[in-house]
Amino acid sequence: LHILNVETGTLATLFDPEVRSSYHDFVFAPDGSGFWMATNHGREFHALVYMNLVTYAQTGDAEASLSVVHSHDDRDIGDVALVGQTLVWTENDGGYSKLGALNIKNGREVKLPELMDGTYTLSAAKEAETLAVSIRGPQTPGTVVAIDLSGRLARARIVGHPTDGGLPIETFSAPEDVRFAAQDGVMLQGLLYRPETGAGEIPVVINVHGGPTAQARPRFNPLAQYLMTRGIAVLDLNFRGSTGFGKTFTRLDDQMQRTNAVRDVADAVAWIDAQDGLDADRVAVMGGSYGGYLTNAAVGTYPDLFRAGISLVGVADWVRALEGASPLLKASDVIEYGDINDPDVVAFHRSISPINTVGNITAAMMFSHGANDPRDPVAESDSMVADLRARGVEVRYLRWPDEGHSVRKLNNRVYLYEEIARFLEKTLTED
């Protein structure tokens, strides 16, 4: 973390930790004497801290000038905003956002109104003592709430309503927070979208996010909601390497530990098998980007566990994908995957590439890839599809000439979601 004196042009390094840390959501005090931020510097979870620039100017000791304002042992502090004399922040509680606030004059807690469940993004007005909270949750694709903090009691009102497109969004279901141990004892977490059905066991889609430094959170998820109406459950899995569960957990799949995340997907099937009402014999795995890699790897490494797989812009050959990355991506890839110029790193990633196990795949497969993908070249999916079709494995391939590392255009997205739903209904619910 650096600080720049804009008058002198002097750039100073505040923190350069041995164990990588993140620093974000900087909010300066009105008098410029310091700033608040969220960081996991020197700790497992992100805390709200204050950097005293007066003390730092006097001592030159950044560590001694840093103090913790608010923290938890099991969750991250997120967005930070200053509204008048009230400092407000979000907390990541199992994926759901919670609000916290205090008065910077007296240090007392400020009680805020309860808001609907979901994930929150904060924005402070420049003049008025008003906080805008953008909410994305299971029952809203985006509601904006304004909280007036000028009085003794904070008051909230909805100022932005999302359009529902004719859907009964109020009937959409919230996911269940589930946790279970992987076979090596690491605790995993997921969000289970379970349809309300009668007797009998229901099929499950394990959804694995990209990144891998990301988190499955209870945002608006129209595909999961639709699949529930078709009698299919969705387990949105936070495998090791995901964010939101501490610095150590995020690093558990780094470099030579990559295959442990693939094993987490298999362990999720074992958890499904132990649950009442879920059918472990009818499981699909689905994911995009890094989640596409996990999908490709899981169906090839554990072919007996999955009836179907949906790989969206997924990696087939790690060496090709990492060597072809842009200079910007290569700079961060060194941390996550290792130096691709190192022969040992090359050998390891060649050994774990899903193209090596494509011959084991027996599940029905669906692939989607943009021809202009700058992150994972379309050749990644081309090679998987060609090999599978040569062996007579059922494959549905959507190769988009006008898309890149995701499907962005509305018409294409609608078509993609329709095809995903149709594919899963056919492979998981039909005899």
Side-chain angles (χ1 to χ4, degrees):
L1 181 66
H2 308 281
I3 187 164
L4 173 69
N5 186 317
V6 295
E7 293 182 350
T8 65
T10 303
L11 181 70
T13 300
L14 293 179
F15 303 106
D16 184 15
E18 291 185 13
V19 178
R20 69 179 188 267
S21 305
S22 65
Y23 311 84
H24 56 89
D25 286 277
F26 307 96
V27 176
F28 273 83
D31 61 1
S33 60
F35 60 85
W36 294 273
M37 65 177 171
T39 180
N40 59 2
H41 178 86
R43 57 193 309 115
E44 191 69 25
F45 288 88
H46 287 79
L48 174 63
V49 304
Y50 181 70
M51 179 69 193
N52 191 319
L53 294 178
V54 175
T55 303
Y56 173 69
Q58 294 170 346
T59 66
D61 189 339
E63 292 283 355
S65 305
L66 196 67
S67 59
V68 176
V69 178
H70 191 81
S71 67
H72 291 278
D73 293 332
D74 63 348
R75 70 185 70 168
D76 284 329
I77 301 295
D79 286 22
V80 183
L82 183 62
V83 185
Q85 300 297 323
T86 305
L87 191 66
V88 188
W89 62 88
T90 62
E91 300 178 4
N92 183 339
D93 186 4
Y96 285 94
S97 289
K98 307 294 183 185
L99 287 179
L102 61 80
N103 185 296
I104 60 173
K105 285 279 190 179
N106 56 32
R108 294 176 181 171
E109 178 184 354
V110 176
K111 186 173 178 56
L112 298 179
E114 291 287 332
L115 304 179
M116 68 177 67
D117 289 340
T119 61
Y120 305 159
T121 302
L122 309 182
S123 179
K126 293 184 181 300
E127 302 296 336
E129 292 188 43
T130 304
L131 176 74
V133 184
S134 176
I135 306 172
R136 295 170 61 198
Q139 294 182 316
T140 177
T143 296
V144 179
V145 175
I147 301 178
D148 183 356
L149 293 162
S150 61
R152 294 184 62 185
L153 293 177
R155 301 183 183 279
R157 60 187 177 90
I158 296 177
V159 295
H161 289 276
T163 57
D164 57 20
L167 295 173
I169 292 179
E170 68 281 356
T171 67
F172 283 13
S173 301
E176 176 188 355
D177 181 345
V178 300
R179 300 174 190 253
F180 55 94
Q183 59 187 270
D184 61 356
V186 172
M187 290 302 299
L188 306 176
Q189 187 264 1
L191 299 172
L192 178 64
Y193 295 81
R194 185 198 288 260
E196 296 181 4
T197 60
E201 294 185 327
I202 55 178
V204 184
V205 175
I206 300 174
N207 187 60
V208 280
H209 60 71
T213 48
Q215 182 184 3
R217 302 187 66 182
R219 300 184 177 97
F220 190 66
N221 192 333
L223 183 58
Q225 299 291 344
Y226 173 74
L227 292 177
M228 283 196 290
T229 70
R230 311 312 301 162
I232 300 173
V234 177
L235 175 62
D236 220 348
L237 179 66
N238 282 308
F239 47 86
R240 70 190 70 200
S242 303
T243 56
F245 303 94
K247 188 186 297 186
T248 299
F249 188 84
T250 303
R251 302 200 312 270
L252 286 180
D253 72 335
D254 284 1
Q255 301 187 20
M256 303 303 186
Q257 305 176 88
R258 188 68 45 202
T259 56
N260 291 340
V262 182
R263 193 180 63 212
D264 288 346
V265 182
D267 288 344
V269 179
W271 177 83
I272 289 169
D273 191 36
Q275 307 308 302
D276 292 336
L278 301 182
D279 190 349
D281 292 327
R282 291 186 293 160
V283 176
V285 58
M286 172 175 67
S289 192
Y290 185 85
Y293 153 68
L294 287 180
T295 297
N296 291 338
V299 293
T301 307
Y302 305 99
D304 296 335
L305 296 183
F306 303 99
R307 185 174 289 194
I310 301 177
S311 174
L312 313 172
V313 296
V315 172
D317 183 338
W318 271 119
V319 176
R320 176 172 54 195
L322 294 174
E323 287 183 340
S326 68
L328 174 64
L329 289 170
K330 282 183 177 179
S332 60
D333 284 349
V334 169
I335 298 172
E336 181 70 44
Y337 302 101
D339 186 355
I340 195 61
N341 296 313
D342 183 331
D344 291 337
V345 173
V346 172
F348 172 74
H349 283 90
R350 181 173 287 118
S351 71
I352 68 167
S353 293
I355 197 66
N356 296 332
T357 55
V358 66
N360 299 335
I361 296 175
T362 57
M365 294 296 297
M366 176 177 176
F367 293 83
S368 172
H369 217 125
N372 307 309
D373 191 338
R375 180 42 166 156
D376 297 327
V378 71
E380 296 293 293
S381 289
D382 287 350
S383 59
M384 294 286 290
V385 171
D387 192 290
L388 288 166
R389 285 179 171 168
R391 292 194 301 108
V393 177
E394 179 184 353
V395 179
R396 177 78 172 102
Y397 189 19
L398 301 179
R399 194 180 193 276
W400 309 92
D402 56 347
E403 297 286 2
H405 191 55
S406 63
V407 175
R408 296 287 186 182
K409 297 181 179 180
L410 180 58
N411 288 343
N412 291 346
R413 289 174 63 192
V414 170
Y415 184 75
L416 171 63
Y417 291 158
E418 288 177 339
E419 289 299 298
I420 288 175
R422 187 175 294 115
F423 175 79
L424 289 172
E425 286 186 280
K426 178 180 180 181
T427 56
L428 296 185
T429 66
E430 293 181 4
D431 293 333

